[in-house]
Amino acid sequence: MALFQRLPQTNQDERRTVQRYTVDCPAQLKMLGGNRDGRLSDLSEAGARFETANPPQEGVSGLLAWGDYEFFGKIVWANENSCGIVFERPIPLSVVEQTCEVIEVQSGPVANFGNIPVASRGRRASLVSRDS
């Protein structure tokens, strides 16, 4: 009779019961010890990944807020720049879907084609106008 029984190992993907979605939106983790600003990078009905410069320790509870939403959860893992949050109660799928639709995209200035030098074969284009 064995005192300790070795249980089969399951990887993290097998333990998940809901689909996770990649998102990218600003978020804030509100805790008794102070708020942390960051970005939501992964979301499901059961939890989220919160990217921040100084993540809280495992076991800390707080409100994860983004857009018009706030949900209470607990930190279940943390590393140097992110943490995993499990929600106290599953959030509505409609919230997950709406968050996925509002992915923020960083946009820069559009290139002005008049400023791009055109090169002919075998020569480099001159960046200085010949008229000046």
Side-chain angles (χ1 to χ4, degrees):
M1 184 163 133
L3 292 176
F4 298 102
Q5 182 179 5
R6 186 176 188 158
L7 297 174
Q9 289 189 338
T10 59
N11 66 26
Q12 193 143 345
D13 291 335
E14 291 174 357
R15 292 184 302 184
R16 289 198 171 88
T17 57
V18 293
Q19 176 68 39
R20 295 184 311 155
Y21 298 91
T22 301
V23 296
D24 183 22
C25 64
Q28 186 177 54
L29 184 58
K30 301 174 181 181
M31 303 167 295
L32 289 176
N35 298 341
R36 302 274 195 329
D37 292 323
R39 296 196 75 78
L40 196 59
S41 64
D42 181 304
L43 184 64
S44 75
E45 296 166 79
R49 176 188 295 247
F50 180 66
E51 309 279 337
T52 185
N54 185 18
Q57 294 180 3
E58 185 177 323
V60 173
S61 297
L63 276 173
L64 181 62
W66 71 96
D68 294 331
Y69 306 112
E70 280 188 344
F71 294 98
F72 188 77
K74 186 176 188 177
I75 308 300
V76 292
W77 62 264
N79 62 28
E80 62 276 351
N81 60 6
S82 63
C83 60
I85 300 167
V86 171
F87 297 125
E88 181 181 47
R89 293 186 196 110
I91 67 173
L93 181 59
S94 61
V95 171
V96 176
E97 291 171 343
Q98 288 173 2
T99 302
C100 290
E101 291 174 5
V102 187
I103 295 177
E104 232 181 52
V105 177
Q106 297 291 333
S107 62
V110 176
N112 181 348
F113 290 108
N115 291 338
I116 300 173
V118 179
S120 60
R121 185 172 169 92
R123 288 192 327 194
R124 292 178 124 186
S126 173
L127 295 177
V128 179
S129 172
R130 296 180 195 268
D131 297 334
S132 48

